[in-house]
Amino acid sequence: FGHGSAKIGEHRIIIVGGEDADGKRLSSGFINDVRTQQSTPLPYDMPAALVGCRAVANDAYVYVLGGLNGFGGAVNTVYRLCLDTMEWTIMAPMATAREDFAAALKEN
């Protein structure tokens, strides 16, 4: 429930955050290959557990925006995952905290 997801490549989807069956907020994620039906856990967790976050991606990065933190409050955080190194970076925050919103990445 409440996971962020984005298409990364022709046959892969990244899924991050959300809640498990017990309602625990997650900072973990995985990449699902829809062609092979294989899921691979991300080697590093996001900097914080989030539910209701949004994810967008380009060829090099996945951006995870907003969501609800472990205390139920909306956050303005932006995290960037490098698809080459699988390492997370904390980016400049959004001006407004948000959860359960729409996001799109516009290419130049």
Side-chain angles (χ1 to χ4, degrees):
F1 169 77
H3 307 284
S5 62
K7 179 182 175 187
I8 54 168
E10 189 64 28
H11 303 284
R12 299 185 312 154
I13 300 169
I14 187 167
I15 301 167
V16 295
E19 290 183 351
D20 66 13
D22 297 321
K24 178 185 173 194
R25 302 254 160 100
L26 302 172
S27 58
S28 59
F30 61 93
I31 294 174
N32 183 272
D33 187 313
V34 297
R35 183 180 46 195
T36 64
Q37 299 296 299
Q38 297 293 315
S39 291
T40 305
L42 296 178
Y44 306 108
D45 286 350
M46 286 190 299
L50 297 170
V51 65
C53 59
R54 295 297 175 253
V56 294
N58 61 24
D59 291 339
Y61 299 104
V62 175
Y63 297 89
V64 178
L65 306 106
L68 295 173
N69 62 21
F71 304 104
V75 296
N76 64 348
T77 54
V78 178
Y79 303 127
R80 183 180 72 186
L81 176 68
C82 175
L83 293 172
D84 285 334
T85 66
M86 291 297 175
E87 293 181 351
W88 291 96
T89 302
I90 299 172
M91 306 298 288
M94 298 182 291
T96 305
R98 306 168 187 274
E99 53 98 6
D100 288 329
F101 58 100
L105 182 66
K106 181 181 176 190
E107 298 290 336
N108 287 340

